[in-house]
Amino acid sequence: MRTLLVPAAAAGRNELTAILVPEGGKPSLPATAPATATWNADFGKDKGASVLLRGSSGQRWLLLRVAKKPTADEVREAAGQARLQAET
């Protein structure tokens, strides 16, 4: 798996972009992502919540809820979840 830290959430066809969203925060997604109203109720407010979004052209975004100030271990755990999702 290739890991990149990028300032914007853009995904190419058949790629998975994992986005860590702090508790209380809102994700910033590109215009090609599904509308917030279609998935917001499925994305929990508590740490550990996740939701997989699929774009119409094959893009995928995995939103992972983390602590407001995640530790290195919490970031590694979220990366592990993203890797498992990427393999499916």
Side-chain angles (χ1 to χ4, degrees):
M1 180 174 99
R2 179 177 57 137
T3 303
L4 299 173
L5 296 176
V6 296
R13 184 174 175 85
N14 298 319
E15 291 182 1
L16 173 72
T17 300
I19 302 166
L20 304 184
V21 183
E23 289 177 304
K26 296 180 182 179
S28 176
L29 297 168
T32 56
T36 303
T38 64
W39 55 265
N40 195 42
D42 297 327
F43 187 41
K45 304 290 183 204
D46 298 325
K47 185 177 96 170
S50 66
V51 66
L52 178 64
L53 309 177
R54 295 181 184 272
S56 59
S57 298
Q59 309 97 327
R60 297 181 301 158
W61 298 270
L62 178 63
L63 306 181
L64 299 159
R65 183 79 65 189
V66 295
K68 284 187 181 185
K69 293 184 178 183
T71 64
D73 285 339
E74 290 171 328
V75 171
R76 279 191 287 276
E77 183 179 317
Q81 290 176 1
R83 182 181 178 110
L84 290 174
Q85 188 66 46
E87 293 174 352
T88 61

